[in-house]
Amino acid sequence: MFFTIRISILIDTSKRKKVVYSIFFFLLASVCEIGGGYLVWLWLRSGMSWILGVIGGFILFLYGIIPTFQPTYFHRIYATYGGIFIVMALLWGFIFEKEVPDIFDIVGAVVAIVGIIIIFYAPRRGEESLWSKQH
């Protein structure tokens, strides 16, 4: 079944667009959530300007809007975001704080990615999915 799904994505342009669209919004939301939270962190924990806190708060507000562009239920979107945030937070720490993820971080991130794929991209009965033949 998984092989059939992969072939279907490679062949069907509309399905590929849906996957790219959803990944784009997941990544955009993660940058807003982590970036906005980081600016608030810098303000409150590092003694930087309150302006960073205000900007961070606005970015966090945008983060709250972005999930509404996803094509499924609230609970499933936020569960998937949780997995993506795990990966993106580790990447953020590596890029901005120069903290290299250890083996447990990496294993946890891989588990989260598997969870993301199962939760968001698995076909479900009774729902229009990325894999359905309907357009």
Side-chain angles (χ1 to χ4, degrees):
M1 181 169 152
F2 180 73
F3 182 72
T4 307
I5 292 170
R6 273 180 63 189
I7 296 298
S8 173
I9 290 172
L10 294 174
I11 294 171
D12 189 338
T13 305
S14 73
K15 290 178 186 175
R16 195 171 342 132
K17 284 181 183 178
K18 288 179 184 179
V19 170
V20 170
Y21 178 84
S22 71
I23 291 170
F24 168 76
F25 281 113
F26 281 129
L27 294 176
L28 180 62
S30 69
V31 169
C32 287
E33 196 258 351
I34 295 167
Y38 189 66
L39 291 176
V40 171
W41 175 279
L42 290 175
W43 165 48
L44 293 174
R45 295 282 300 258
S46 298
M48 299 185 105
S49 171
W50 62 270
I51 294 171
L52 286 179
V54 171
I55 294 169
F58 180 73
I59 292 170
L60 287 168
F61 169 75
L62 294 176
Y63 153 73
I65 294 171
I66 293 168
T68 64
F69 297 108
Q70 292 286 16
T72 192
Y73 300 105
F74 177 85
H75 71 281
R76 194 164 295 137
I77 292 167
Y78 273 81
T80 304
Y81 277 129
I84 289 172
F85 292 151
I86 290 169
V87 174
M88 293 298 287
L90 293 172
L91 187 60
W92 186 279
F94 179 70
I95 292 170
F96 293 102
E97 297 181 331
K98 309 297 185 239
E99 287 293 324
V100 178
D102 64 22
I103 188 67
F104 300 107
D105 293 330
I106 293 168
V107 169
V110 169
V111 169
I113 290 168
V114 170
I116 290 164
I117 292 167
I118 293 168
I119 290 169
F120 198 75
Y121 296 107
R124 292 190 165 74
R125 270 188 271 185
E127 285 186 33
E128 164 90 30
S129 77
L130 295 171
W131 323 120
S132 70
K133 294 187 180 355
Q134 305 162 358
H135 297 289

